[in-house]
C-alpha cells in the first residue's frame, strides 16, 4: 500500500484542530463556569433578588462559551512545521515528518523523500503525539464541577429573608404567566364572601404558596417574622442563623398562652384560698400550692417577668405576705393582658365582634424600619390582618352587610373536632379572630377601627395585614371615616426593597381587588 | 537532481575516506568528522589544541586521503602576506624582463595554516579572500583557487606570548572550530604503538577524488531540513546575543557580541553534512546539537567581565542550548 503523506497530513490536521478546539473550549468553559459560580455565590451572599430558574440559567453560558471557543479553536489553521516537529519529537522520528513536509513543499519526488517515507511508513501511532492534554481534561473537569455547584446552589435552601424574596418573585412570575384578571378575580371572590375580613388572607399559611398566590412584600413577611420572634423571645440574629418555621412560632405562642392561663387560674385559686382562710390561719402557701407553682414554672412559654414573680412568691420574703404578693402578681398579670385587650371605650365597640389589636408605637416603628419606610407616620395605622384558617380559628361570619353583628359564627371546631377556646371565633361572628379572650396572637395586632367599606358605607371592623399602610379618609356625610390602603406608600416601600415593577403591579392589582376601591 | 546512486556513491566515498584517515589518526573521531564536514560544506576549520596532539598529522592524512595538492604554511611573526599568496617576480626571457606571478602556498586544495595565531594580523588577513571567496588577488590580478579547497588552521592555546589572536573577521570565516582533546589511555597506547614500531606512520592512499568531493557537496546541499528546525537554529543564534530577548542571563552578563548570521549558515550546513556522514537523509535535532558548540564557540566575544572571570564559552552555549525551546 503506497504511503499517502497528504492523507496523513490531513488526518494530523483534523486531529490537531480538534485537540486545539478542546483545549480552548475547556479553558473558556472554565472561565465561564468560574464566572457563573462567582455570580451565583454573589447573588446568594448579596441577597440579590433573583428567581431560582435564573440561577439555573447561570449554568448554561459556560457551555455556550465553550462551544464558541471550540468552534474558534477548530477553525484555526495549525502551524504545520511546528506541529509536525512536535509529532516527530514525541514519536522519536528525528524530524522526518517535518523534513518530508519540507520536501513536499519543494515539489516533486526525490531520493530523500522516498527514503524518509520508507522510514515513517510504519509510524501509524501518530495520534499518540496529539492527545487530549491533561490540562484540558483538568479544566473540563473543573468546569463541570463549577457548573454542578452552580446548579446545586439553585436548590440550596436560603435563609428566610432571601427565600421569601425569591418566593415572591417566583409567584410574580407565575402570576405573570396567567391572566392577571383571573387571579384578581379568584382573590376577590373570598373577599366578597367575607363580611368581616374585607382584606382577604394576605398571609395565611406561608407554606402554602398555592393558596396564597401573593405572599405580600418580602419585608412584610420579614416583619411578621420579627413579631413572631419578639413574642417568642428569639433575637433576630438567632432567627437569621436558624430560621424559625411558622408552625414552630405558632406553637410557641400557643404554649405561652396556655402557660399564662394556667398560672392565672392557679393564682386566682391561691388568692381565693387566702381570702377565705380564717385570719388566724396560715397566710403562707401550702405545699400543694408551692408544688403547683413549681410545676407551672417549668412549663414552657411562661414569660420571664412572670417567672421572676412566681420565683419571688415561692421564696416569700418575711416582710411580705403571700396574699399581698399573689395580689400583686395577679395585678401585674392583668396589666399584661390589659395591654392586649381591646379597648371598650368606643361606644360602637362590640366586644364579641370588635377584636382588633392596636399596634404599639414601638411596634409600628419597628415594622416601618424593617420595611425601609421609616418616614411612614403612625397615622397609617399599620395593622395586622387576622388570618382565619378554617377549622382553627373559625370561618368569618356571614355578616356581609357589615353591620356589627353580634351573632356571628362561633368558632368552628378544628379538623379534629376540638375547639380551641383561645382561637375560636366565639360569638362575635369574627370567625376565629384572635384575642377574643383578651389575648394577642403572635401573628397579628388588633385594632378596632371604624370604617366604611366601599361605597355602601357599611361599617366594618378592620383587620389589616400588618405592615400594610392604610389611610383614614374622613367622611363627608358624617358617617364613619373610611379606610383606604395607601397604595402610594406600598409602591414606595416595595421599590425601596428592590421589588421588580411587575411584582409591584401584582401587588397593586391584589389590593385593588380586595378593597374594590374601598377599605 | 540527486539520484539514489549519487547518494549512495557519495556516502560510500566518505565512509571510505573516514576509514582511511582513522587508520592514521588514533581517536579524535570528532576532529576527523569536523574536518570532513568543513570539506563538505565548502568551509574552513580551525583546530585548537596543545602541541603534539596530531593536528598537523590529521591535515596531512586528510590531504593524502583526498589525493589533492596539499601545502603547509608555518605561521611566524615575520611571515609576510606575499609569502602566502605569492608575488610577482622579475623574469628574464629572450633578453626581455617581465613580471611573472609566482604562486604561494595558498594555491593548493588543502592548506594547513599551522599555528595561525603566531603571524601578524596583516599576514593572517592574507587568507581572508582565499577562505571566503576562493580567490587570491595580487596586484591587479585575481586568481581563482581550485575546488575542493579547504584551509585547516591550528592554534596553540598555550604559549600565548607573542601571538596574535585572530581578528573577529578572520575567525568568523572558519566554519567550525574543533578543540582537540588529549587522547585517552587506550588511544595513547595505540598512538605509541603505531609510531614506534614497524615503518612508523604511513599516510593513507587516496580514497577519493576532487570530483567525488564536489558530488558529495551537491548531495549535502539537497539534504532537507525542516522549517521548524531552521527557525530553531535562528533562535539559537539569536540567543547568543546579549541584547536578545531569548538570551539567557549569563549570556547577557558575559557576552559582548553574539554569533553572526554566518554561524546560522554554519550550523545548518554542518548539520546537513553531519546527517550525510551519519547515513541519514534529513537533518535531525541531534545533528544540530553536535554542531552547535563547534559552530558557535569561536564566534562569541566575551566582554571584559567574562574575560576577567574566565567564563568558559562552552558553558554559555550550554545555557543557550538548554533554554531555547525546540518548537516555538
Amino acid at each position: 500500500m503506497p504511503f499517502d503523506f497528504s492523507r496523513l497530513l490531513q488526518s494530523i490536521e483534523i486531529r490537531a484542530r480538534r485537540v486545539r478546539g478542546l483545549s480552548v473550549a475547556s479553558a473558556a468553559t472554565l472561565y465561564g463556569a468560574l464566572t457563573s459560580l462567582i455570580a451565583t455565590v454573589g447573588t446568594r451572599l448579596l441577597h440579590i433578588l433573583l428567581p431560582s430558574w435564573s440561577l439555573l440559567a447561570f449554568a448554561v453560558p459556560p457551555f455556550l462559551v465553550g462551544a464558541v471557543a471550540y468552534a474558534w479553536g477548530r477553525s484555526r489553521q495549525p502551524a504545520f512545521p511546528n506541529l509536525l516537529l512536535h509529532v516527530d519529537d514525541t514519536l522519536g522520528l528525528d524530524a522526518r515528518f517535518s523534513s518530508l513536509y519540507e520536501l513536499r513543499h519543494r515539489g516533486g519526488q526525490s531520493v530523500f523523500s522516498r527514503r524518509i517515507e520508507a522510514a515513517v511508513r510504519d509510524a501509524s501511532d501518530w495520534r499518540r503525539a496529539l492527545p487530549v492534554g491533561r490540562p484540558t481534561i483538568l479544566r473540563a473537569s473543573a468546569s463541570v464541577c463549577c457548573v454542578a455547584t452552580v446548579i446545586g446552589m439553585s436548590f440550596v435552601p436560603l435563609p428566610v429573608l432571601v427565600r421569601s424574596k425569591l418566593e415572591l418573585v417566583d409567584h410574580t412570575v407565575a402570576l405573570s404567566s396567567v391572566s392577571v384578571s383571573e387571579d384578581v378575580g379568584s382573590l376577590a371572590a373570598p373577599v366578597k364572601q367575607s363580611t368581616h375580613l374585607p382584606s382577604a388572607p394576605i398571609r395565611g399559611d406561608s407554606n402554602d404558596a398555592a393558596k396564597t398566590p401573593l405572599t405580600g412584600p418580602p419585608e412584610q413577611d420579614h416583619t411578621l417574622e420579627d413579631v413572631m420572634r419578639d413574642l417568642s423571645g428569639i433575637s433576630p440574629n438567632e432567627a437569621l442563623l436558624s430560621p424559625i418555621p411558622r408552625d414552630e412560632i405558632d406553637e410557641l405562642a400557643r404554649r405561652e398562652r396556655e402557660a399564662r392561663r394556667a398560672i392565672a387560674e392557679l393564682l386566682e385559686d391561691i388568692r381565693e384560698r387566702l381570702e377565705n382562710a380564717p385570719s388566724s390561719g396560715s397566710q403562707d402557701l401550702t405545699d400543694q400550692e408551692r408544688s403547683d407553682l413549681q410545676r407551672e414554672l417549668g412549663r414552657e412559654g411562661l414569660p420571664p417577668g412572670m417567672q421572676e414573680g412566681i420565683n419571688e412568691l415561692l421564696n416569700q420574703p418575711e416582710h411580705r405576705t403571700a396574699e399581698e404578693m399573689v395580689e400583686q402578681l395577679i395585678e401585674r398579670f392583668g396589666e399584661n393582658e390589659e395591654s392586649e385587650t381591646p379597648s371598650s371605650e368606643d361606644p360602637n365597640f362590640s366586644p364579641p365582634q370588635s377584636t382588633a389589636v392596636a399596634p404599639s408605637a414601638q411596634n409600628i416603628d419597628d415594622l416601618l424600619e424593617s420595611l425601609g419606610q421609616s418616614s411612614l407616620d403612625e397615622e397609617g395605622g399599620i395593622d395586622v390582618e387576622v388570618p382565619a384558617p378554617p377549622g382553627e380559628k373559625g370561618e368569618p361570619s356571614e355578616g356581609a352587610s357589615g353591620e356589627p353583628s353580634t351573632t356571628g359564627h362561633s368558632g368552628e371546631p378544628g379538623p379534629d373536632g376540638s375547639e380551641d377556646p383561645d382561637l375560636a371565633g366565639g360569638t362575635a361572628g369574627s370567625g376565629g379572630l384572635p384575642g377574643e379572650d383578651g389575648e394577642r396572637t403572635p401573628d397579628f395586632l388588633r385594632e378596632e377601627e371604624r370604617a366604611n367599606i366601599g361605597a355602601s358605607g357599611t361599617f366594618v371592623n378592620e383587620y389589616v395585614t400588618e405592615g400594610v399602610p392604610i389611610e383614614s379618609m374622613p367622611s363627608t356625610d358624617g358617617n364613619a371615616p373610611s379606610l383606604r390602603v395607601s397604595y402610594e406608600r406600598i409602591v414606595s416601600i416595595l421599590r425601596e426593597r428592590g421589588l421588580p415593577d411587575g411584582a409591584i403591579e401584582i401587588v397593586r392589582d391584589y389590593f385593588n381587588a380586595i378593597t374594590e376601591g374601598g377599605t | 537532481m540527486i539520484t539514489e546512486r549519487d547518494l549512495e556513491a557519495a556516502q560510500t566515498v566518505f565512509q571510505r575516506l573516514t576509514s582511511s584517515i582513522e587508520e592514521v589518526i588514533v581517536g579524535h573521531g570528532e576532529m576527523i568528522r569536523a574536518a570532513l564536514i568543513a570539506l563538505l560544506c565548502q568551509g574552513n576549520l580551525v583546530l585548537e589544541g596543545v602541541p603534539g596532539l596530531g593536528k598537523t598529522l590529521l591535515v596531512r592524512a586528510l590531504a593524502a586521503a583526498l589525493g589533492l595538492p596539499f601545502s603547509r604554511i608555518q605561521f611566524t611573526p615575520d611571515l609576510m602576506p606575499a609569502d602566502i599568496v605569492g608575488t610577482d617576480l622579475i623574469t628574464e626571457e629572450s633578453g626581455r624582463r617581465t613580471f611573472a606571478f609566482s604562486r604561494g602556498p595558498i594555491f593548493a586544495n588543502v592548506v594547513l595554516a599551522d599555528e595561525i595565531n603566531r603571524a601578524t594580523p596583516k599576514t593572517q588577513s592574507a587568507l581572508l579572500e582565499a577562505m571566503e571567496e576562493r580567490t587570491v588577488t595580487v596586484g591587479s590580478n585575481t586568481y581563482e583557487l581550485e575546488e575542493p579547497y579547504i584551509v585547516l588552521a591550528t592554534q596553540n592555546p598555550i604559549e600565548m606570548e607573542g601571538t596574535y589572536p585572530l581578528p573577529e573577521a578572520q575567525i568568523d570565516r572558519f566554519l567550525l572550530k574543533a578543540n582537540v582533546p588529549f587522547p585517552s589511555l587506550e588511544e595513547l597506547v595505540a598512538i605509541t604503538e603505531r609510531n614506534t614500531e614497524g615503518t612508523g606512520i604511513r599516510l593513507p592512499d587516496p580514497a577519493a577524488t576532487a570530483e567525488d568531493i564536489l558530488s558529495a557537496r551537491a548531495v549535502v546541499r539537497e539534504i532537507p531540513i525542516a522549517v521548524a528546525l531552521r527557525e530553531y537554529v535562528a533562535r539559537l543564534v539569536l540567543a547568543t546575543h546579549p541584547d536578545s530577548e531569548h538570551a539567557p542571563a549569563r549570556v547577557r552578563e558575559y557576552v559582548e557580541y553574539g554569533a553572526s548570521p554566518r554561524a546560522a549558515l554554519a550550523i545548518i550546513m554542518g548539520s546537513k553534512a553531519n546527517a550525510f556522514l551519519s547515513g541519514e537523509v534529513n537533518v535531525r535535532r541531534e545533528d544540530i546539537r553536535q554542531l552547535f558548540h563547534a559552530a558557535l564557540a569561536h564566534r562569541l566575544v566575551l566582554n571584559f567581565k567574562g574575560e576577567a572571570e574566565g567564563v568558559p564559552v562552552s558553558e554559555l552555549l550550554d545555557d543557550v542550548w538548554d533554554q531555547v525551546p525546540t518548537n516555538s
Side-chain angles (χ1 to χ4, degrees):
Chain A
M1 183 176 175
F3 179 74
D4 190 347
F5 187 63
S6 300
R7 191 172 175 183
L8 178 65
L9 286 179
Q10 198 174 7
S11 301
I12 290 176
E13 180 182 357
I14 291 172
R15 174 82 175 178
R17 283 173 182 261
R18 189 175 301 161
V19 170
R20 177 194 289 270
L22 288 174
S23 176
V24 175
S26 66
T29 306
L30 179 58
Y31 285 126
L34 286 174
T35 306
S36 290
L37 183 61
I38 292 170
T40 305
V41 172
T43 56
R44 290 300 171 111
L45 293 181
L46 300 177
H47 292 180
I48 295 173
L49 197 61
L50 285 175
S52 299
W53 61 265
S54 67
L55 292 179
L56 278 175
F58 281 173
V60 178
F63 294 112
L64 292 178
V65 171
V68 172
Y70 179 75
W72 179 80
R74 278 205 70 160
S75 66
R76 293 189 63 196
Q77 175 82 19
F80 262 112
N82 292 326
L83 176 63
L84 293 177
L85 187 62
H86 168 72
V87 175
D88 285 328
D89 288 345
T90 305
L91 302 180
L93 291 177
D94 287 336
R96 289 195 179 95
F97 270 142
S98 310
S99 301
L100 198 54
Y101 181 75
E102 176 71 11
L103 288 171
R104 285 297 174 101
H105 265 262
R106 289 187 196 170
Q109 283 279 324
S110 69
V111 59
F112 302 105
S113 60
R114 282 192 294 273
R115 284 203 177 187
I116 294 174
E117 282 179 7
V120 300
R121 186 182 301 275
D122 299 328
S124 57
D125 57 343
W126 57 267
R127 287 179 182 80
R128 188 162 56 85
L130 297 171
V132 177
R134 185 181 176 86
T136 301
I137 295 172
L138 289 176
R139 285 195 296 262
S141 304
S143 303
V144 170
C145 289
C146 288
V147 171
T149 307
V150 169
I151 294 173
M153 288 186 72
S154 303
F155 298 102
V156 171
L158 293 173
V160 173
L161 176 60
V162 182
R163 187 173 59 214
S164 62
K165 286 181 178 179
L166 296 182
E167 283 173 357
L168 175 62
V169 174
D170 285 345
H171 289 311
T172 303
V173 173
L175 287 172
S176 300
S177 63
V178 299
S179 167
V180 171
S181 60
E182 289 177 10
D183 285 336
V184 170
S186 64
L187 289 170
V191 177
K192 290 177 182 174
Q193 295 170 4
S194 170
T195 56
H196 294 277
L197 294 175
S199 54
I202 292 179
R203 273 204 59 90
D205 184 359
S206 64
N207 294 327
D208 191 354
K211 291 180 181 175
T212 55
L214 190 63
T215 57
E219 304 319 313
Q220 192 173 1
D221 192 9
H222 186 204
T223 305
L224 277 177
E225 301 292 350
D226 285 345
V227 173
M228 299 302 111
R229 283 194 298 271
D230 289 343
L231 292 173
S232 57
I234 299 171
S235 71
N237 287 339
E238 289 170 343
L240 191 64
L241 291 172
S242 176
I244 304 172
R246 174 167 297 279
D247 293 344
E248 193 175 332
I249 293 172
D250 292 343
E251 178 62 18
L252 287 173
R254 188 184 63 75
R255 287 178 185 170
E256 180 184 341
R257 285 195 300 273
E258 288 178 356
R260 281 170 173 268
R261 186 181 309 107
I263 201 73
E265 289 173 358
L266 184 57
L267 288 173
E268 282 292 344
D269 291 346
I270 294 172
R271 183 172 67 172
E272 278 182 22
R273 206 254 319 153
L274 290 173
E275 283 177 354
N276 298 330
S279 57
S280 58
S282 170
Q283 290 298 311
D284 290 336
L285 300 177
T286 64
D287 291 342
Q288 178 61 36
E289 288 166 346
R290 286 181 179 278
S291 171
D292 290 344
L293 284 171
Q294 203 72 43
R295 189 184 68 246
E296 293 304 328
L297 264 181
R299 184 191 285 267
E300 285 186 55
L302 198 62
M306 292 304 298
Q307 286 181 356
E308 292 172 6
I310 294 170
N311 272 325
E312 197 176 350
L313 176 61
L314 289 172
N315 304 316
Q316 178 186 354
E318 290 182 358
H319 63 282
R320 299 182 65 186
T321 64
E323 186 177 2
E324 179 187 341
M325 295 181 70
V326 168
E327 285 287 352
Q328 192 176 357
L329 269 178
I330 290 174
E331 189 178 342
R332 191 195 301 178
F333 187 74
E335 284 174 359
N336 287 341
E337 289 193 329
E338 229 171 58
S339 64
E340 300 170 14
T341 306
S343 168
S344 58
E345 291 176 7
D346 192 321
N348 293 323
F349 173 66
S350 177
Q353 71 177 31
S354 301
T355 51
V357 178
S360 66
Q362 181 60 41
N363 279 346
I364 290 175
D365 286 341
D366 292 345
L367 297 176
L368 292 178
E369 188 176 349
S370 67
L371 283 169
Q373 177 77 357
S374 59
S375 62
L376 191 64
D377 58 27
E378 296 180 21
E379 185 187 352
I382 296 179
D383 295 341
V384 182
E385 178 216 5
V386 178
E392 182 180 351
K393 297 183 178 179
E395 294 293 333
S397 72
E398 291 295 326
S401 64
E403 291 182 5
S405 168
T406 58
T407 56
H409 286 249
S410 296
E412 291 180 8
D416 57 355
S418 65
E419 186 174 22
D420 189 339
D422 296 329
L423 300 176
T427 60
S430 53
L433 297 175
E436 289 176 354
D437 56 354
E439 294 178 8
R440 54 182 292 180
T441 65
D443 292 61
F444 304 101
L445 299 174
R446 297 181 302 183
E447 183 176 16
E448 178 190 359
E449 292 286 355
R450 293 183 58 202
N452 296 332
I453 181 167
S456 63
T458 306
F459 174 80
V460 68
N461 290 296
E462 288 293 332
Y463 296 93
V464 183
T465 305
E466 182 187 37
V468 174
I470 59 172
E471 292 176 339
S472 179
M473 304 297 290
S475 174
T476 55
D477 54 4
N479 290 332
S482 61
L483 292 182
R484 186 175 72 86
V485 175
S486 176
Y487 175 68
E488 292 77 12
R489 289 180 182 168
I490 292 176
V491 168
S492 173
I493 292 170
L494 298 181
R495 284 198 174 137
E496 279 191 20
R497 305 307 297 176
L499 206 67
D501 287 345
I504 294 175
E505 285 303 313
I506 296 295
V507 175
R508 183 215 300 268
D509 293 340
Y510 175 76
F511 281 105
N512 284 340
I514 64 174
T515 59
E516 292 187 327
T519 55
Chain B
M1 181 86 176
I2 306 298
T3 64
E4 189 80 31
R5 186 178 175 183
D6 296 334
L7 178 61
E8 287 183 359
Q11 287 184 328
T12 304
V13 166
F14 270 80
Q15 285 172 1
R16 194 167 59 230
L17 199 57
T18 304
S19 301
S20 299
I21 298 172
E22 285 176 345
E23 286 178 5
V24 178
I25 306 296
V26 178
H28 300 316
E30 290 185 6
M31 192 172 63
I32 297 171
R33 173 163 287 216
L36 295 177
I37 288 172
L39 182 65
L40 284 168
C41 297
Q42 210 171 344
N44 307 287
L45 175 69
V46 60
L47 301 169
E48 185 172 277
V50 296
L53 292 181
K55 299 186 291 293
T56 305
L57 179 62
L58 167 68
V59 178
R60 290 179 61 194
L62 176 64
L66 290 173
L68 296 173
F70 164 73
S71 61
R72 179 179 185 275
I73 307 170
Q74 180 63 51
F75 279 63
T76 57
D78 58 350
L79 188 71
M80 299 301 289
D83 299 333
I84 299 174
V85 298
T87 187
D88 288 329
L89 300 175
I90 299 176
T91 60
E92 186 171 353
E93 190 174 329
S94 305
R96 294 185 61 191
R97 291 182 178 177
T98 56
F99 282 99
F101 180 65
S102 176
R103 295 187 170 194
I106 201 171
F107 287 90
N109 292 97
V110 180
V111 177
L112 171 60
D114 215 1
E115 297 189 278
I116 190 173
N117 56 339
R118 293 202 174 276
T120 61
K122 177 182 176 181
T123 307
Q124 291 171 356
S125 61
L127 288 172
L128 286 176
E129 185 183 359
M131 291 170 66
E132 191 63 29
E133 282 96 38
R134 305 304 203 230
T135 58
V136 174
T137 302
V138 179
S140 59
N141 296 319
T142 299
Y143 306 93
E144 286 200 2
L145 300 172
E146 288 184 13
E147 291 287 352
Y149 182 86
I150 182 172
V151 175
L152 298 135
T154 64
Q155 274 193 144
N156 186 355
I158 59 175
E159 296 180 12
M160 298 299 287
E161 290 181 13
T163 62
Y164 303 90
L166 293 173
E168 276 70 36
Q170 177 87 25
I171 196 75
D172 194 42
R173 281 172 168 76
F174 286 98
L175 183 80
L176 304 174
K177 176 184 176 185
N179 288 312
V180 184
F182 200 85
S184 65
L185 177 64
E186 294 77 15
E187 290 170 346
L188 192 56
V189 171
I191 289 171
T192 57
E193 181 182 349
R194 288 190 191 182
N195 286 272
T196 57
E197 295 179 1
T199 56
I201 293 177
R202 182 174 172 272
L203 292 178
D205 295 328
T209 62
E211 289 73 27
D212 292 336
I213 304 301
L214 295 177
S215 297
R217 281 181 177 179
V219 170
V220 167
R221 292 188 72 86
E222 291 298 315
I223 286 180
I225 177 171
V227 174
L229 289 182
R230 285 183 195 274
E231 293 174 355
Y232 176 50
V233 170
R235 286 197 300 275
L236 286 173
V237 172
L238 284 176
T240 62
H241 290 256
D243 53 350
S244 168
E245 59 178 329
H246 306 292
R250 298 223 300 166
V251 169
R252 294 174 194 269
E253 187 176 1
Y254 296 120
V255 175
E256 184 75 30
Y257 299 108
S260 68
R262 205 179 264 139
L265 301 178
I267 293 175
I268 290 176
M269 281 305 298
S271 299
K272 287 187 174 190
N274 192 64
F276 170 79
L277 293 174
S278 302
E280 297 291 336
V281 290
N282 67 289
V283 174
R284 306 158 297 169
R285 191 167 182 263
E286 175 63 18
D287 298 320
I288 296 173
R289 189 190 66 77
Q290 289 184 13
L291 267 292
F292 180 66
H293 278 77
L296 292 178
H298 58 293
R299 289 186 162 97
L300 260 60
V301 180
L302 298 182
N303 58 19
F304 177 78
K305 187 177 181 183
E307 293 284 1
E309 296 184 12
V311 177
V313 174
S314 59
E315 289 184 6
L316 299 178
L317 291 176
D318 286 340
D319 288 352
V320 171
W321 181 262
D322 292 339
Q323 294 187 26
V324 174
T326 309
N327 221 334
S328 60

